[in-house]
Amino acid sequence: MKKETEGYLMAALGMHIASVICYFFDIMIWFSLMMTLVFLSFALKSERSE
Amino acid sequence: MSNDSNFEYSMIPCIIGVIFGVFFSWIFTAPYLPDLYPMMVYGMYMLGMIFIIIIIIVGYIKIDKDYWLVFSSLWLFVMLLWVMFAYVIYDGINIFIAWWRSNLLFNTGLILMVFAFGVLAFWGLREYYYKRCKELD
């Protein structure tokens, strides 16, 4: 795995954790959930690129 | 977990992700924004449905059987997204909202379960990439 991919994956994990924190503090979580998918797609893209 | 993962590097984007995720989610709950929600929410609802359909089709046709757990976890995660978008749409589903909010213990368990599935998906993806990289080497 590329370093860049790992970074994107961990950023996605961070967004995922953020959504749970937001849930327990009554903050809307759709933003962090969508950003999770966005960072996952970045990870896939960076891994597949040359 | 493979030995060649570099946690020293990867913890930084994770922590930044948590901070930014909470911060911007909090910003988006500002009182002047809810007027904009219906447009955004319906758009994302449609995107979520498209995502689900694509993941199911691609999962059945293309994905290696050994990694079914990873992609079924991702699928459950997207299903949660879909439910959460419904949670944001207040008009027309007040009965659902009332049910959702009245079962606090159930909700908490559900969220933790889906959270566990999400972590599992990330873990599986990492393993998948390490294995694929070794195959490519």
Side-chain angles (χ1 to χ4, degrees), chain B residues 26-135:
Chain B
W26 174 69
I27 287 290
F28 286 152
T29 57
Y32 54 84
L33 275 174
D35 291 345
L36 296 174
Y37 282 152
M39 288 289 285
M40 292 193 282
V41 165
Y42 283 119
M44 287 179 184
Y45 176 85
M46 302 250 264
L47 275 178
M49 290 299 286
I50 292 164
F51 262 123
I52 288 165
I53 291 162
I54 289 171
I55 285 172
I56 290 169
I57 292 169
V58 173
Y60 269 111
I61 295 169
K62 290 263 184 188
I63 302 303
D64 194 326
K65 273 184 285 182
D66 293 343
Y67 302 103
W68 64 271
L69 192 64
V70 175
F71 291 97
S72 59
S73 302
L74 278 175
W75 178 75
L76 276 171
F77 181 56
V78 175
M79 283 296 284
L80 174 84
L81 278 181
W82 179 59
V83 172
M84 282 300 140
F85 291 148
Y87 169 68
V88 177
I89 305 167
Y90 277 80
D91 288 340
I93 53 163
N94 281 315
I95 294 165
F96 171 73
I97 296 297
W99 166 80
W100 181 256
R101 291 199 157 172
S102 63
N103 293 286
L104 189 65
L105 193 66
F106 174 77
N107 290 343
T108 308
L110 192 70
I111 287 291
L112 287 176
M113 193 183 75
V114 177
F115 175 64
F117 266 112
V119 172
L120 199 65
F122 283 113
W123 173 78
L125 268 178
R126 285 167 64 100
E127 292 297 305
Y128 176 77
Y129 277 126
Y130 286 131
K131 194 172 177 180
R132 281 288 295 159
C133 287
K134 276 179 186 167
E135 282 169 11

Side-chain angles (χ1 to χ4, degrees), chain A residues 18-29:
Chain A
S19 64
V20 175
I21 292 170
C22 288
Y23 174 79
F24 284 111
F25 283 95
D26 281 343
I27 298 169
M28 286 187 177
I29 67 170

Side-chain angles (χ1 to χ4, degrees), chain B residues 12-30:
Chain B
I12 295 165
C14 183
I15 292 161
I16 291 171
V18 172
I19 292 165
F20 272 73
V22 173
F23 177 72
F24 281 107
S25 300
W26 174 69
I27 287 290
F28 286 152
T29 57

